[in-house]
Amino acid sequence: IRGLIRIGPDHEFVFVVPDGLRAQTLPGGSMVMVSRDMRYSVSIRLLEPSPASSRLRETLREWIASQYTQVSHLEEIAATVAQHEGVGFQFRQDLPQVGGRILSILWVPFKAGVIEFALNADEKSASIGRGPFDMVLLTFRSNELGRLEIIKRSDKS
């Protein structure tokens, strides 16, 4: 199953929805893919308004500080998504009623705007959720350079 995101009349993105995840679009256009056991989720959303690309890392750090409480072990991460360099952070959030959560948030600038990729997992499922998160990042494609490239899924493991 592939996910398709359209932003305006000209921008399209496609990616592989990892096996075992249930995908749904939320009000506002965010797409969330949740594991069957609900221990982790992977989400994609367009940031509006888009932060300035020159201050992306600093803006994300400030946004995390304003949105999340009880954050520890904040580490920088980086990834290339559809030939665009993204910046991000991975951190732990301790919530009294829920327990420890591991979050990875990556912001990637595209012509259509900055797209956020996020993994939110309970502490025990963070390594399991990393695989589907990486699959979304690796298969994410844009039509910025022409037609969308559809990645074929391998039947070999």
Side-chain angles (χ1 to χ4, degrees), residues 46-63:
L46 176 69
L47 301 178
E48 293 184 300
S50 276
S53 292
S54 62
R55 292 201 63 238
L56 216 51
R57 182 175 285 109
E58 296 83 12
T59 304
L60 175 54
R61 185 186 299 270
E62 293 165 4
W63 183 81

Side-chain angles (χ1 to χ4, degrees), residues 42-80:
V42 176
S43 62
I44 303 171
R45 73 180 178 113
L46 176 69
L47 301 178
E48 293 184 300
S50 276
S53 292
S54 62
R55 292 201 63 238
L56 216 51
R57 182 175 285 109
E58 296 83 12
T59 304
L60 175 54
R61 185 186 299 270
E62 293 165 4
W63 183 81
I64 289 170
S66 72
Q67 297 296 310
Y68 295 93
T69 59
Q70 301 179 6
V71 170
S72 62
H73 301 91
L74 186 70
E75 299 174 19
E76 283 190 30
I77 59 173
T80 301

Side-chain angles (χ1 to χ4, degrees), residues 23-45:
Q24 63 186 88
T25 302
L26 300 178
S30 297
M31 179 174 278
V32 177
M33 295 158 278
V34 181
S35 67
R36 287 189 179 118
D37 59 9
M38 299 186 71
R39 292 180 177 233
Y40 67 89
S41 66
V42 176
S43 62
I44 303 171
R45 73 180 178 113

Side-chain angles (χ1 to χ4, degrees), residues 40-154:
Y40 67 89
S41 66
V42 176
S43 62
I44 303 171
R45 73 180 178 113
L46 176 69
L47 301 178
E48 293 184 300
S50 276
S53 292
S54 62
R55 292 201 63 238
L56 216 51
R57 182 175 285 109
E58 296 83 12
T59 304
L60 175 54
R61 185 186 299 270
E62 293 165 4
W63 183 81
I64 289 170
S66 72
Q67 297 296 310
Y68 295 93
T69 59
Q70 301 179 6
V71 170
S72 62
H73 301 91
L74 186 70
E75 299 174 19
E76 283 190 30
I77 59 173
T80 301
V81 179
Q83 301 176 351
H84 292 267
E85 292 296 320
V87 299
F89 292 95
Q90 179 173 301
F91 57 95
R92 177 186 164 94
Q93 182 183 31
D94 292 306
L95 300 172
Q97 294 84 7
V98 180
R101 307 286 305 167
I102 304 296
L103 291 99
S104 295
I105 300 175
L106 183 71
W107 284 4
V108 183
F110 289 90
K111 288 180 184 175
V114 175
I115 297 181
E116 176 186 271
F117 299 87
L119 168 65
N120 186 334
D122 68 32
E123 201 168 19
K124 295 175 186 164
S125 302
S127 61
I128 296 168
R130 175 64 54 191
F133 182 66
D134 288 345
M135 177 183 276
V136 169
L137 298 179
L138 290 170
T139 62
F140 198 82
R141 297 292 183 265
S142 165
N143 69 343
E144 287 181 349
L145 300 176
R147 292 185 57 145
L148 278 173
E149 175 190 2
I150 303 297
I151 302 299
K152 296 187 182 200
R153 293 185 76 173
S154 173

